[in-house]
Amino acid sequence: MKQFKTESKKLLDLMINSIYTNKEIFLRELISNASDALDKLSFLAVKNPDMKVDQDSLAIRLSFDKDARTITVSDNGIGMTQEELDKNLGTIAHSGSEQFKEENAEHQGDQMDIIGQFGVGFYSAFMVASKVRVVSRAYGADQAYAWESDGEKGYTIEPAGPGERDGADDHGTDITLYLRPSTEQDNTDQYLSEWELKELVKKYSNYVRHPIRMMVTKSRQKPAPDPKPDDYKPEYEDYQELETINSMTPIWKKRSSDVDQKDYNEFYKATFHDYADPARTISFHAEGALSYDALLFIPSVQPFDLYSKDYQKGLALYCDNVLIQEKCEDLVPDYYNFVRGIVDSPDVKLNISRETLQQNAQLRAIARRVEKKITSELQDMRDNDRENYQKFFENFGRGLKFGIYTTYGGKADELADLLLFWSAKQGKQITFKEYVDAMADGQDKIYYVAGESRERLEVMPQVRSAVEHGYDVLVCTQDVDEFMFQVMRSYHVDAVAGDSEHKGTDAKDYELTNVTNADLDFATEDEKKQAEEASEKNKDLFDGLKEALDGKVDDVKVAPGLGDAPAAVSSEGPVSLQMERVIAQGPEGDKAPKAHRVLQLNAAHPVFGKLVAAQESGDKDRLKLYGHILYDQALLVAGMPIDDPVKFAEDVTKLM
Ligand code: ADP
């Protein structure tokens, strides 16, 4: 028996004793090797026409034996000589495994992920097998050899036995895995099933160029006897048939003009387990120094687990039709986590084996293009298919907003124009740009209001006042909205060059402003004057109310332009009431910063007269009662919780 080389031994140990869960990739590895062996032979044959290789006969054969607990992967490719068996399977001097070893030296902890990402080839068989027998006959050789090993001590190489590739010109390789006993943790029995093997091929090797064939059991109706008896019931029998179980031509390599949308839809649904057709399909190809094919889908329905911790973003990464990684996270940014798809690049693998950094640079280059493509597809949908874009935005818009928030506004340039908001004035969803385009002359801010329900927000005094005075308000009901506005601060509009027909415009930043901000008013000059007078005259009233409200508000003011509302609650400074509420619901809720609350009074409302009267009569109890009721009802109107609903009810009763 020959011993494995030291480094091979180390690798084998890692492999066998790995806690790596994705053991099923062994099949992908063996199939890829078989496919390579077919390619090599096919390449030779093309160069030497007298070799007489029937290209159409090149195939991979998959079989299993339930009783013997074996799986066999066969190919009629180039095969290996005795020396090659020794060199190729006895040492670790080949690309994938070498890479694995290098990676492994650097990251002792997470080495097992690397198997999944890059593949370590033939040795992965030992993850599921306690013994592997390789029978191989090199093309043109007249004898087959058998390599056998338990993956521990070493291996043997002997001439193959009778019946093992001893037919005329029976070149190629059979790799037989003797499966380890099945345990609870390590279910190897699962591989001894037609269905499971088919699934694994579909999952990992569906687009291998060569046919992967397997005997499958099918059922058919037996021929009816002639003449048919009256009580004839059809009978069925099982039969075996050799079937090609992979699809061979990757749909992502085709130009989109050559593919029916129907086929994309079917592929999408089968591959990504969705029941609905995608909203958009994006197919693109790059050639040159870095070549790849990409096929991306924007789903039309939200995956049920999109906002759960378990959701994993990423695109499937293929290298030459072979799945390298099911969800390559680096290929899509978080805010496009809903995008599903495939990137296939022959160059990725080439560079993996050279240098990991280089590999990252390649992935980054692909990722940049992927991101741009998604953005422009969404822009197109926004401009040309608004109805579906609204559906898209309902499903995935929150993620885009988080994209701006979590990048501290860094991605605002790219994402802000993809956002939709409900417009209080126009009664439909609009973009920032549409808001700005419809703005009155001289308006230099974008107004918004944030809270839980659109209906409530639209009737808030400040919102009504803004709209009545000609300003639109974006009505925001998602928790992230206001936090996003805070990191964005403003919406930027680029300068537009003028021409002979149109006047150009300068670049401009429109500050994003909460309409319930206490410093704001939309009032006319008259209204302002009236409010100022009332403020001057009633300083004592404000102090009295502030005292009566006992720390609940930081300030009491007269506000012009509250319409027919007697009062409103607003805030000053960076934390709004809505933000306070959102933070309070979070994990650190008790430490949440408080909004600086301001009770705004409408001096034009009859209630104001009552307050003044109570103050002037020195009736402190009455003033306190009025103050509390006004404050609580203003909170209710704003959709905010009141501190003590029982007390509020008592106060109202007292008043009646
Ligand atoms: P890698 O494929 O990354 O080179 P493997 O460990 O998978 O590493 O395989 C080692 C070598 O064994 C391959 O490079 C190839 O030369 C040879 N080999 C493996 N499987 C086959 C096969 N089915 N037919 C011919 N040669 C094979």
Side-chain angles (χ1 to χ4, degrees), residues 29-30 33-34 36-37 40 75 78-80 84 88-89 94-97 119-123 136 172-173 175:
E29 297 298 311
L30 298 182
N33 280 347
D36 288 347
K40 283 179 197 160
D75 65 75
I78 187 118
M80 283 177 274
E84 282 167 340
N88 294 341
L89 305 184
H94 36 266
S95 57
S97 316
V120 284
F122 171 75
Y123 287 147
S136 194
T173 305
I175 299 186

Side-chain angles (χ1 to χ4, degrees), residues 342-354:
I342 282 158
V343 168
D344 187 349
S345 171
D347 300 326
V348 169
K349 191 164 156 197
L350 272 179
N351 286 296
I352 284 172
S353 45
R354 262 187 259 137

Side-chain angles (χ1 to χ4, degrees), residues 213-233:
R213 299 201 176 108
M214 186 165 79
M215 272 297 184
V216 295
T217 310
K218 296 184 169 177
S219 179
R220 67 180 160 210
Q221 198 173 332
K222 283 191 191 170
D226 195 20
K228 245 192 228 172
D230 287 347
D231 59 347
Y232 173 72
K233 282 203 196 86

Side-chain angles (χ1 to χ4, degrees), residues 539-555:
K539 291 231 155 39
D540 292 349
L541 170 65
F542 306 145
D543 289 342
L545 275 172
K546 206 172 141 185
E547 196 190 313
L549 282 169
D550 197 19
K552 284 186 196 291
V553 297
D554 298 272
D555 212 349

Side-chain angles (χ1 to χ4, degrees), residues 319-426:
C319 172
D320 269 338
N321 302 352
V322 174
L323 179 66
I324 306 284
Q325 204 181 352
E326 224 180 333
K327 296 224 162 154
C328 181
E329 292 190 16
D330 299 339
L331 285 172
V332 272
D334 283 343
Y335 40 88
Y336 290 155
N337 65 353
F338 51 85
V339 174
R340 288 155 162 165
I342 282 158
V343 168
D344 187 349
S345 171
D347 300 326
V348 169
K349 191 164 156 197
L350 272 179
N351 286 296
I352 284 172
S353 45
R354 262 187 259 137
E355 206 178 333
T356 324
L357 265 180
Q358 208 175 346
Q359 133 84 357
N360 287 339
Q362 308 249 308
L363 281 189
R364 271 203 303 277
I366 301 177
R368 268 197 301 277
R369 181 101 187 276
V370 163
E371 179 176 347
K372 286 223 161 66
K373 283 280 178 184
I374 300 170
T375 305
S376 66
E377 191 73 22
L378 291 175
Q379 288 167 343
D380 179 73
M381 199 166 159
R382 173 199 66 198
D383 296 339
N384 301 313
D385 186 6
R386 187 54 75 90
E387 200 180 315
N388 277 321
Y389 190 71
Q390 276 174 212
K391 276 191 209 138
F392 157 80
F393 197 75
E394 221 167 273
N395 286 329
F396 306 112
R398 186 162 172 260
L400 304 186
K401 294 172 182 173
F402 266 106
I404 295 180
Y405 177 60
T406 53
T407 56
Y408 303 102
K411 277 285 162 190
D413 277 353
E414 197 149 347
L415 298 174
D417 283 323
L418 293 176
L419 305 181
L420 293 179
F421 300 95
W422 188 262
S423 148
K425 201 172 159 191
Q426 304 179 40

